[in-house]
Amino acid sequence: IGDCESLMYQLIPLPLQMNPVAVIDAQVAFDPKFPIGMGSMLEHVSQHLLQGLPSKEQIDWNHFHARNCRALSVPLSHCNALYALDDLHRLEAILCSKMPRGRSYKTALAATNRMLSELIRDPYGMKSLTENLAWLEKKD
């Protein structure tokens, strides 16, 4: 959902005004109370599905986030475009290796739709900022 939030409300360098349709948050599908990142999820994937893919850690996300910068600036460089495509392959490997709770994505679709509705009602991202602040304060 965080990616949708960025794409919906980005203003600079140009407004994207993305309107998400038919989106399912895969993290919510597997465990709605304790979402885990892709890197952790990949630990549970059959390694043959990841064969030939470079490490997920090839980009130092913290370096960019600490400076409040984009890690993948537009237009994407050849290297960053490959990274984005590799991420799609990683997501495919996860979806092929793990079944969602209840063996269906219906619950995750409903939860995702609720989260998207909340985003639409909060165009300035105050809820997201509050949650991120609480997360950062825990990190200290």
Side-chain angles (χ1 to χ4, degrees), residues 98-115:
K98 187 166 173 59
M99 290 298 291
R101 296 169 66 88
R103 304 184 68 74
S104 170
Y105 287 96
K106 288 180 184 178
T107 304
L109 177 61
T112 303
N113 286 336
R114 281 191 301 277
M115 290 186 289

Side-chain angles (χ1 to χ4, degrees), residues 18-33:
M18 190 221 24
N19 182 24
V21 177
V23 174
I24 297 178
D25 187 323
Q27 290 180 318
V28 173
F30 299 119
D31 194 340
K33 293 182 181 171

Side-chain angles (χ1 to χ4, degrees), residues 3 17-18 21 44 46 48 54 68 75 79 88 95 124 131 140:
D3 292 335
Q17 300 174 329
M18 190 221 24
V21 177
H44 306 283
S46 301
H48 77 277
N68 199 24
C79 180
L88 291 176
L95 295 176
Y124 299 108
E131 290 171 356
D140 265 350

Side-chain angles (χ1 to χ4, degrees), residues 59-120:
I59 294 177
D60 181 4
W61 299 101
N62 290 335
H63 172 77
F64 294 99
H65 293 164
R67 295 176 23 228
N68 199 24
C69 297
R70 290 180 174 275
L72 303 177
S73 58
V74 179
L76 293 177
S77 68
H78 179 76
C79 180
N80 287 347
L82 288 176
Y83 176 85
L85 288 173
D86 288 342
D87 250 11
L88 291 176
H89 290 296
R90 289 182 190 95
L91 183 56
E92 178 184 33
I94 291 168
L95 295 176
C96 289
S97 295
K98 187 166 173 59
M99 290 298 291
R101 296 169 66 88
R103 304 184 68 74
S104 170
Y105 287 96
K106 288 180 184 178
T107 304
L109 177 61
T112 303
N113 286 336
R114 281 191 301 277
M115 290 186 289
L116 288 172
S117 293
E118 289 175 15
L119 282 180
I120 290 167

